[in-house]
Amino acid sequence: MTHITVNGIPLEVENGTTLLEAAQFLGFPIPTLCHMEGLSPYGACRLCVVEVGEGARAKLVSSCTYVAEEGQKVRTSSARVVRARKMVIELLLATCPQSKQIQDLASAHDVRQQRFRQEHEDCILCGRCVRMCEEQMVAKAIGFAGRGESRRIGTPFDRRSEVCRTCGGCMYVCPACELRCTYTEPDKAICGGCANLAPPCIEKEKFDDLMCYMKPCVACEIPRS
Ligand code: FES
């Protein structure tokens, strides 16, 4: 067992417990984005930062990937943590301003504007879709391609994947993809949003038979037959 304190509260956790799990056990809220239960931790977005250590040795770490260490003192909402989180949200807003999930995060953390060059990307490279495809759907149909600014999600060699079962799992977990459903009869849908699917990770022309498995549709709430 490992002994830590979270915001001054002593806690004994199993070896291998992450700081996020420890804080959540005590009920301290930590925002997350790339992290998702059922998928391996990835540590891409840094939204879940917490502060560990004291004095000059105090540092910020991503709580979803950082495993608790004996005697560690963890702060989940120090001024430094709050500042860092707001900065991460600003960067996410600059990258992907249309994401409702990111807008909600900004609102919840009182971020009213962002100071960076505004982009209109439709992917924040959180890797949720890649992990979902590999770990839950056991398909490995998509992955990261390119480096630096040209890093993106795609299929191997940008060809239609032979192993993709068009399950829609990638879109289901995507925090940036607003329109997740490919309802094929727009006149029967209420909002019509699901008829205009533009998933960031899949080129529509390569997957024109893509269907979403979710019931009901998250966009229009219509139970699908
Ligand atoms: S939620 Fe921990 S780094 Fe993204």
Side-chain angles (χ1 to χ4, degrees):
M1 301 297 276
T2 305
H3 302 83
I4 59 173
T5 62
V6 182
N7 297 339
I9 299 178
L11 181 66
E12 184 183 72
V13 293
E14 301 224 351
N15 295 342
T17 301
T18 63
L19 298 183
L20 178 66
E21 290 166 334
Q24 284 176 338
F25 177 78
L26 288 176
F28 292 115
I30 295 180
T32 58
L33 195 61
C34 67
H35 177 76
M36 189 171 197
E37 222 175 296
L39 302 181
S40 58
Y42 185 52
C45 72
R46 321 299 288 180
L47 186 62
C48 64
V49 285
V50 295
E51 191 173 16
V52 296
E54 287 178 291
R57 299 185 67 113
K59 59 180 179 180
L60 296 178
V61 297
S62 58
S63 62
C64 67
T65 52
Y66 203 97
V67 171
E69 292 166 6
E70 183 61 32
Q72 204 159 43
K73 291 191 167 67
V74 185
R75 290 171 297 284
T76 65
S77 55
S78 64
R80 193 176 170 196
V81 166
V82 171
R83 249 195 335 268
R85 263 185 212 147
K86 285 189 171 193
M87 170 80 83
V88 170
I89 293 171
E90 281 191 58
L91 287 165
L92 289 167
L93 270 178
T95 308
C96 204
Q98 77 280 11
S99 160
K100 181 170 183 315
Q101 202 164 326
I102 294 171
Q103 290 169 3
D104 287 348
L105 276 169
S107 171
H109 291 82
D110 203 28
V111 175
R112 303 275 171 232
Q113 57 184 23
Q114 62 86 10
R115 294 162 284 171
F116 305 101
R117 192 180 68 192
Q118 187 66 66
E119 310 279 354
H120 288 277
E121 303 290 334
D122 46 15
C123 177
I124 52 169
L125 298 172
C126 68
R128 270 197 195 187
C129 55
V130 174
R131 285 173 286 150
M132 180 72 166
C133 188
E134 177 176 351
E135 297 170 15
Q136 292 291 337
M137 301 309 176
V138 201
K140 278 197 188 179
I142 52 175
F144 287 103
R147 293 179 179 205
E149 282 199 359
S150 31
R151 193 157 167 82
R152 62 192 169 81
I153 305 288
T155 52
F157 306 107
D158 280 334
R159 298 216 182 105
R160 180 178 176 129
S161 169
E162 296 295 318
V163 292
C164 175
R165 301 190 296 275
T166 62
C167 67
C170 52
M171 288 178 284
Y172 178 65
V173 297
C174 175
C177 179
E178 289 291 282
L179 309 171
R180 295 169 168 171
C181 178
T182 55
Y183 192 78
T184 50
E185 296 174 82
D187 47 333
K188 289 193 186 157
I190 292 175
C191 68
C194 52
N196 299 307
L197 179 74
C201 43
I202 295 178
E203 289 172 44
K204 181 114 190 270
E205 56 273 19
K206 291 187 192 146
F207 294 93
D208 51 6
D209 54 348
L210 188 69
M211 291 296 292
C212 177
Y213 65 89
M214 288 188 296
K215 297 178 186 179
C217 165
V218 290
C220 60
E221 307 278 322
I222 300 177
R224 303 194 49 197
S225 54

